[in-house]
Amino acid sequence: MEKSLFETQDYQLTEIDIENDPKVDSVLTNNLNYARLWSQGLIKPLSDFQLSKIYEKIEKKVDAGHVIHFAVREKTGGQLIGFVQFNQILWNHGVARLKIGVGDEHHLESALPQLLSLCLEYAFHELNMYRLEIDVPAYDVNLSQAVTQAGFKKEVTNREVIYHLGKYWDEIGYGILKPEWQ
Amino acid sequence: MDQKLILRGEKVHLIPFDIKRDAEKFVNWRRNSEYLRLMDGSHAVQFSKEKIKHWLEEDAESNTFVFFMIKTNSEERIIGEIGLSDFDGKFVNAFVGISIGDPSDWGHGYGSEAMRLILNYGFYVMNLHHISLTVFEYNPRAIRSYEKVGFKHEGIQRQFLNRDGRRWDMYRMGILQTEWEIK
């Protein structure tokens, strides 16, 4: 119980700051790799107004119990660097899908393993999930390495479902079950 | 007229949904828990006609998915629904979902034919590159039907469901536009 569910060595999970986060996130979405994670459809940089609206929708889904969302900040200074989200939660089956967005690429290498480890802990020890999954575009080598190292197993190759930089890419589905997690 | 532009096969055709006409059908189909558990991972629950009407009204104005009712050619009976979703803004991949409501209509090839019609629509009208679906391990009839239509196995979401005291896999299947030819 003493170990924080919301802190890693360098980062912390917090609530959304509806007033200030949209401005920061808006700048981060100039990187379309990051914007893609905020988008249901068209991938584009988002204004702070658009992000405020998206945040509002997320809060409604949180209220309905379908989504759990955290802003990710640097522990030192509190700068927003991205988010983690559990969505498509089916409480009756103990399953959820994880989404991790790190908008500031300088943090990718250190943030991904730290956040994945924290999310697994949260999913299995707080939410009491049985299974957690994450979809990774085949071109995202950083994320696929990080999820494999975190213990996820490759389960699905959804063939050529992502169009990215002039080519079709597979989306790889990874999953981990509670008994497999250490 | 090019065959691809007609959503009609030998046994069934696809028509737009009509809120007044169809809401009650969904209500009745949903009284069968087997239907719900084959179709959906959400907990089996029934909805009022008013609630379903409200959702159908919202759907009528949506551009984020497209769905049709399935009607038999011979008796002009509405027997189910089929639709594509999750393609918005990209039109690369979509997920297809299908249900035939009354168990007495299962196993007659209606679903396979409706699936062929929606693949024509998805690939030749919407220009999708790939169409995906999920199906539960305990639904072998549907799995065979999807294989027959041309879907390939793309993986397994292990132990995804917890029903009747045990866990079940969820299979992922998909088909590329290049693998599909009008039949």
Side-chain angles (χ1 to χ4, degrees):
Chain A
M1 290 289 175
E2 284 175 16
K3 191 178 170 196
S4 171
L5 290 172
F6 301 134
E7 282 183 34
T8 71
Q9 186 187 316
D10 302 313
Y11 305 97
Q12 56 179 341
L13 308 188
T14 78
E15 77 294 340
I16 297 169
D17 179 344
I18 300 265
E19 199 182 327
N20 296 308
D21 285 351
K23 285 191 202 78
V24 183
D25 249 338
S26 174
V27 174
L28 295 177
T29 62
N30 287 323
N31 174 354
L32 293 181
N33 261 339
Y34 181 68
R36 178 180 177 276
L37 294 163
W38 278 110
S39 147
Q40 287 294 331
L42 210 57
I43 301 165
K44 59 186 180 183
L46 296 162
S47 68
D48 51 356
F49 174 77
Q50 288 169 317
L51 280 157
S52 300
K53 291 286 166 196
I54 293 174
Y55 285 155
E56 279 172 26
K57 279 188 194 162
I58 290 172
E59 298 265 76
K60 278 187 191 156
K61 288 182 185 167
V62 171
D63 287 345
H66 304 314
V67 164
I68 294 169
H69 185 100
F70 296 103
V72 177
R73 303 178 201 283
E74 282 182 275
K75 259 162 102 172
T76 315
Q79 176 73 15
L80 180 77
I81 65 144
F83 70 92
V84 299
Q85 186 181 89
F86 299 86
N87 56 40
Q88 299 190 21
I89 300 173
L90 288 173
W91 295 104
N92 51 330
H93 303 295
V95 298
R97 182 169 293 184
L98 178 64
K99 212 174 187 185
I100 294 191
V102 176
D104 183 340
E105 295 199 339
H106 295 104
H107 288 281
L108 267 181
E109 205 174 313
S110 59
L112 288 178
Q114 291 186 38
L115 293 174
L116 279 164
S117 160
L118 197 67
C119 287
L120 285 166
E121 176 92 28
Y122 185 76
F124 291 132
H125 275 172
E126 179 65 13
L127 303 180
N128 288 318
M129 290 287 142
Y130 182 76
R131 176 191 155 85
L132 187 64
E133 61 190 35
I134 184 166
D135 287 340
V136 181
Y139 57 79
D140 193 339
V141 179
N142 282 326
L143 186 56
S144 70
Q145 278 174 356
V147 300
T148 307
Q149 274 162 16
F152 284 83
K153 292 185 177 164
K154 184 176 168 179
E155 296 183 327
V156 175
T157 303
N158 210 194
R159 295 171 302 151
E160 300 186 21
V161 296
I162 301 173
Y163 190 74
H164 174 75
L165 298 176
K167 275 172 65 177
Y168 289 104
W169 299 78
D170 298 339
E171 186 170 59
I172 311 299
Y174 292 87
I176 182 168
L177 309 179
K178 189 167 184 181
E180 295 167 349
W181 173 66
Q182 294 170 347
Chain B
M1 176 97 51
D2 194 311
Q3 184 59 35
K4 298 184 191 82
L5 292 176
I6 302 171
L7 299 175
R8 189 178 188 95
E10 285 173 16
K11 294 177 182 173
V12 298
H13 56 288
L14 308 186
I15 58 168
F17 66 92
D18 179 286
I19 295 168
K20 274 191 191 157
R21 181 195 63 202
D22 298 331
E24 195 156 357
K25 294 198 186 309
F26 283 103
V27 168
N28 289 331
W29 293 339
R30 294 189 69 89
R31 287 187 180 158
N32 175 5
S33 63
E34 187 185 6
Y35 165 83
L36 295 177
R37 293 172 120 200
L38 290 172
M39 184 183 66
D40 200 353
S42 301
H43 54 281
V45 66
Q46 302 185 30
F47 298 118
S48 69
K49 192 158 71 179
E50 287 65 33
K51 197 166 233 178
I52 285 178
K53 273 187 180 168
H54 174 70
W55 286 331
L56 289 172
E57 275 165 22
E58 284 180 349
D59 295 350
E61 293 176 15
S62 170
N63 278 326
T64 62
F65 64 91
V66 54
F67 90 92
F68 303 102
M69 304 305 287
I70 305 170
K71 199 171 187 182
T72 60
N73 293 350
S74 55
E75 302 158 303
E76 297 274 322
R77 259 186 328 115
I78 292 171
I79 57 164
E81 49 85 35
I82 189 165
L84 297 167
S85 63
D86 296 319
F87 53 78
D88 45 320
K90 303 186 191 86
F91 287 76
V92 175
N93 179 55
F95 276 83
V96 62
I98 180 171
S99 72
I100 305 289
D102 190 326
S104 66
D105 287 320
W106 298 352
H108 296 286
Y110 296 140
S112 306
E113 195 176 74
M115 192 60 91
R116 290 190 189 100
L117 295 173
I118 203 113
L119 290 181
N120 281 338
Y121 182 78
F123 287 137
Y124 296 131
V125 179
M126 293 175 69
N127 195 25
L128 293 169
H129 185 70
H130 181 276
I131 293 175
S132 309
L133 62 80
T134 58
V135 59
F136 304 146
E137 178 188 357
Y138 55 69
N139 193 358
R141 188 194 297 116
I143 296 166
R144 276 198 303 277
S145 157
Y146 302 147
E147 287 167 345
K148 205 170 71 183
V149 170
F151 282 87
K152 294 187 175 167
H153 287 267
E154 294 188 333
I156 295 176
Q157 287 167 268
R158 296 169 301 142
Q159 303 189 36
F160 188 89
L161 300 166
N162 183 358
R163 273 179 171 153
D164 290 341
R166 58 160 283 194
R167 299 205 72 96
W168 307 82
D169 293 337
M170 180 160 82
Y171 297 155
R172 296 283 292 270
M173 301 179 78
I175 181 166
L176 288 160
Q177 193 191 64
T178 49
E179 293 167 349
W180 177 247
E181 290 171 45
I182 191 159
K183 299 192 169 103

